[in-house]
Amino acid sequence: MSVKSCCIYSTGVISILTLIAGIVLVLSQVFQNILNAKIKKEIVLRNGTHAFDVWENPPPPVYMQFYFFNVTNPAEVLKGERPAVLEVGPYTYREYRAKENVTFVDNGTRVSAYQPKTFVFLPERSVGDPDDDMITTINIPAVAVMNKVKDSFWKSSMVSIWMNSLNVGMFMTRSVNELLWGFKDPLLSRIHPMNPEIDEYFGLMYKKNGSNDGEFVYHTGEADFMDYGRVATFKGESKLSLWTSEQSNMINGTDGSAFHPLLSKTERLYIFSPDLCRSIFMEFEKDVKVKGLPAYRFTPPRDVLASKEENPANEGFCVSPKECLGTGLLKVSVCRKGAPVVTSFPHFYLGDEKYSNAIEGLDPVREHHQTYLDLNPTTGVPIRASKRAQINILINRISGFPKTKSLNETIFPVMFINETVVIDDVSAAKLHKLLLMVSLVSNFPLVLVGLGAILLLVFIGLIVCECKQKKSTKEDTSYSPVSNKEADEKNGSSYVALTPVIDKS
C-alpha cells in the first residue's frame, strides 16, 4: 500500500474514532457533569472564594427610590369623596449593605451575619430637595393611635380631646425628610409620658439608616448546593410566630441577594423579606439579557398576594377573618405594632381593580410597578433586580372619633419604594469570561462531533478523488491490436512488395 493510501485510510479511521468519541461524550454528558460539580464546589460561602467575597460585600451599587402620593383633596376626602393623589418622586438614595459580624458555625455549613443598611441621598438622581418638598398624606400616627384605643370609650374620648387641642387631623403635611427619617409627633409626644414604650418620633424609615433587621443565619451550600444562601434562622428562630398557619410562618428561601447555581426555569424561588414579615415566591417569566449576559427573569405571580378565595394557602396571612383583605393586599399590622399598615405592589399592581379605581391618580403598569429578578442560570448571580413595594394605610370610620364619621373604607396609598441593582461593568466582565470558559468546556464534545464529521467528509472526498484518479489512469494505459504492417511502420521499417517473375522462354 502506498503512503498516499495510508494517509487516506488513517484520516478515515481518525474521523470515525473522533465522531464516536464526541457522540459518546455528548450522550454521557461527562464534561457537563464535571463542570457542574466544579461549579457546585466553587459557589459556596467559604473564606477565600469569590462567591463569599461578593456575598459579604456586594460590589454593584444599590439604589433606593422613594415615591410619595401627595393628596390634593384632603378636605373632600373627609366628606366621603374619592381621594385624588399625585405621585411625587423619585427621591433616590445610594444604599450600602455590607455584612458585618460574619461567623461560620456548624462546621462551616452555616454562617451568621448582620446586614446594616446605610442610605446616602443622591440629588442628581432625585426630583427635588427632601428638606424643602412638602407632602400631604394620611396622618399615620393619629390613625394608629385611634385604632389602638377605639375599643375603650375613655381612652378614645381622651385621645379625641387631645387631637382637637393639638389641631391634629386625619391628614398631615410634612417634608419628605420628615416622612422618611422621622419627626417629633405632637400626639405621640402627649402619650409618651404615660406609655414610654411609644416613641415620640415617627418616620416611614425611622431608625433604619445605619441599622439592621437582626441576625440572619444562612446555609453556606457546603452540604448541598441547593441550600446556597438559604436563610436557616432569623433572630434566632427557624420560623415566625406572626401568622395563623404553619405554612405562613415558614421562613423560606434566601434574603434575595444570593441564589443557588444551575437554576431551572421550572423551579419556584423563595425570598424571605423582613419588611413584609413573610416569605414570597417568584416564578420564571422569560429569558433576558443584561450587558450581554444571559439571564432568567423571575417575578412574583398574582398568587403571592391573592385572596384566600383565589389561593386558599394565603388564608394563614389573615390575622383574623375580619382582617382578610382582597387580592393584591397584605395587612402587616402584626409586625407594625398594631398600626393598620397594608402592603401591596405599587399602584396596586396585580391587585383587584377596585383598589386602584378607588383612588384618582393611580395607574398600575407592569413595566413600572413589577418586582423582578434577573438571574444568570449557570451561577445564580443576580444581574439585575428591582424590588417594588407600596405602603398603604387602611382608613375607615372609627367609633369615638367624629373626624372619621364621613370616611369610606379605603386602602390609602402613602409611598412606594423601588430598590434596584444592576451588575457593575467589572463584575460583568468577570462573569463574561467565566461563562465563556464554561461554554468552551461544556461544548467540547460537540466540537469533537463537528471535527469528526468534517474529517469524515474529507475522507469521503479523498476516496472519491482516489477512485477517479485510478479510473483515469486505467483509461490512459489501455490499447487495441494493430496489423504487422502498422506495427512495422511505427517501428520505422518499410515494406517492399515483390512481384513474381514469369519465365517466358
Side-chain angles (χ1 to χ4, degrees), residues 5 12 72 85 97 104 113 119 129 164 175 179 204 344 408 489 492:
S5 297
T72 58
V85 299
R97 51 195 308 176
F104 287 93
F119 302 90
D129 188 336
N164 289 329
S175 71
L179 290 174
L204 296 167
S344 68
N408 295 315
E489 286 179 345

Side-chain angles (χ1 to χ4, degrees), residues 248-411:
S248 299
N249 281 316
M250 292 176 66
I251 296 177
N252 295 322
T254 73
D255 64 357
S257 64
F259 297 88
H260 69 81
L262 308 177
L263 291 168
S264 166
K265 293 181 179 181
T266 58
E267 66 182 299
R268 176 178 280 183
L269 299 182
Y270 284 88
I271 298 173
F272 173 67
S273 172
D275 294 330
L276 296 177
C277 314
R278 61 164 289 189
S279 297
I280 66 169
F281 60 87
M282 307 179 82
E283 296 176 346
F284 173 80
E285 181 182 288
K286 62 181 179 180
D287 289 286
V288 297
K289 276 201 170 185
V290 182
K291 295 187 178 182
L293 296 167
Y296 291 168
R297 172 161 292 184
F298 285 85
T299 60
R302 182 180 170 93
D303 281 353
V304 170
L305 296 181
S307 65
K308 65 178 182 178
E309 288 76 21
E310 283 190 39
N311 184 4
N314 284 344
E315 187 172 1
F317 294 111
C318 301
V319 181
S320 68
K322 292 182 179 179
E323 295 181 282
C324 211
L325 303 176
T327 293
L329 305 177
L330 174 68
K331 191 171 185 180
V332 292
S333 54
V334 290
C335 55
R336 293 292 184 273
K337 299 181 180 180
V341 179
V342 177
T343 61
S344 68
F345 293 117
H347 289 238
F348 300 112
Y349 171 70
L350 292 183
D352 288 337
E353 289 186 1
K354 65 180 181 180
Y355 298 120
S356 57
N357 291 338
I359 309 292
E360 183 182 338
L362 297 187
D363 181 24
V365 178
R366 186 179 69 173
E367 289 75 14
H368 302 311
H369 306 133
Q370 180 188 50
T371 290
Y372 64 84
L373 271 171
D374 294 340
L375 306 174
N376 176 255
T378 303
T379 61
V381 171
I383 297 177
R384 179 174 58 193
S386 184
K387 172 188 171 184
R388 293 161 171 156
Q390 182 169 295
I391 296 174
N392 312 278
I393 297 295
L394 174 62
I395 62 170
N396 50 19
R397 299 181 184 90
I398 303 176
S399 59
F401 295 94
K403 293 178 182 290
T404 68
K405 65 179 181 179
S406 298
L407 289 179
N408 295 315
E409 182 171 292
T410 307
I411 306 298

